[in-house]
Amino acid sequence: MNHTQTQLLIFDWDGTLFNSVGQIVKSLLFAAEQAQQPLTEDAAKSIIGLGLPEVMQTLFPQVPELHSVILDAYASHYVENSQHDQWFEGVADMLHDLKQQGFKLAVATGKSRRGLDRVLAKTGSQNLFDITRAASETKSKPHPLMLQEILAHTQVSVHNAMMIGDTSYDLEMAQNIAMPRIGVSYGVHSIATLQQYQPQMIADNVEGLHRYLSQAL
């Protein structure tokens, strides 16, 4: 494929740009325990990337009446304990460099808008991105609506965009509209899982991702 046409880079947040997977799992386990619901670490990790309502449906289908209680416990525990979460090493340099090279940058995340705004403010990165879409204001991954909204906003065609993420939900969402895509193996899902969605490459670290994307314009 000819890379010279890539104009827009769309990043997932948790596990791709932001080193928050461990805390998300801990907060989900805490919330499940508060509600006296069984939950394993693997199950908690596997749903990272989905919107919160979808997380509840997947992990706790047996107690719909407890979903709001579990979500509240999760949210307060996460806010309280995630102050030290930050970007993976090299992400700030990568994003600033890519923007300087002329790429449009966007975020497509399973977070809520409130959660995303909090971490955008924390990382001082609001101005780096042309547009950000959170699952609470659109459809959850792997439905491609958030990508379609980003394309409409930036007026970039699907073939001139690239989705970058660490989960099957990210890559399947891109595959659903034939958008080029890249996996990263340092987040949630394994290389074998990511390969099922035919990414152009799978980066083992931020440095490798940065190097590859720099050649994509």
Side-chain angles (χ1 to χ4, degrees):
M1 167 172 167
N2 181 356
H3 278 311
T4 53
Q5 298 311 307
T6 308
Q7 299 163 15
L8 167 65
L9 301 172
I10 306 170
F11 293 91
D12 166 59
W13 188 269
D14 294 304
T16 300
L17 297 179
F18 205 65
N19 190 0
S20 47
V21 168
Q23 188 54 58
I24 291 172
V25 169
K26 283 182 197 153
S27 296
L28 279 169
L29 291 170
F30 169 82
E33 198 182 334
Q34 295 297 102
Q36 299 178 311
Q37 296 304 309
L39 182 61
T40 65
E41 199 169 315
D42 283 349
K45 194 174 177 185
S46 73
I47 53 66
I48 292 174
L50 294 177
L52 288 170
E54 290 73 24
V55 168
M56 292 300 106
Q57 294 296 344
T58 307
L59 296 181
F60 311 107
Q62 68 284 6
V63 284
E65 69 282 1
L66 291 180
H67 287 181
S68 60
V69 175
I70 296 170
L71 275 176
D72 286 349
Y74 164 76
S76 57
H77 188 270
Y78 184 75
V79 170
E80 228 167 276
N81 293 281
S82 62
Q83 285 95 334
H84 301 300
D85 287 356
Q86 53 194 345
W87 272 339
F88 287 106
E89 193 178 340
V91 163
D93 289 345
M94 174 180 72
L95 292 174
H96 283 100
D97 182 46
L98 293 169
K99 191 163 180 76
Q100 213 169 358
Q101 287 181 45
F103 286 106
K104 293 180 183 219
L105 305 179
V107 169
T109 179
K111 294 181 105 55
S112 67
R113 170 49 65 185
R114 193 176 59 177
L116 180 60
D117 283 346
R118 192 176 64 248
V119 286
L120 286 170
K122 179 179 173 169
T123 52
S125 58
Q126 301 97 319
N127 298 331
L128 275 176
F129 301 106
D130 286 60
I131 178 178
T132 60
R133 297 303 283 154
S136 61
E137 60 199 3
T138 180
K139 284 189 187 293
S140 172
K141 301 169 186 178
H143 193 286
L145 182 60
M146 64 171 82
L147 293 183
Q148 290 162 328
E149 291 168 346
I150 290 169
L151 292 173
H153 176 85
T154 54
Q155 297 188 300
V156 171
S157 87
V158 68
H159 306 295
N160 301 127
M162 182 91 72
M163 176 69 209
I164 301 118
D166 67 312
T167 71
S168 62
Y169 314 120
D170 299 313
L171 302 190
E172 186 183 347
M173 169 174 72
Q175 191 178 46
N176 282 338
I177 53 170
M179 179 183 286
R181 49 208 171 270
I182 290 173
V184 303
S185 64
Y186 54 80
V188 170
H189 285 160
S190 68
I191 290 175
T193 298
L194 297 173
Q195 274 170 340
Q196 293 169 37
Y197 300 93
Q198 296 154 334
Q200 282 177 252
M201 63 93 70
I202 296 176
D204 296 328
N205 51 44
V206 173
E207 191 188 358
L209 178 64
H210 187 172
R211 198 167 45 240
Y212 185 84
L213 293 175
S214 292
Q215 299 159 0
L217 191 61

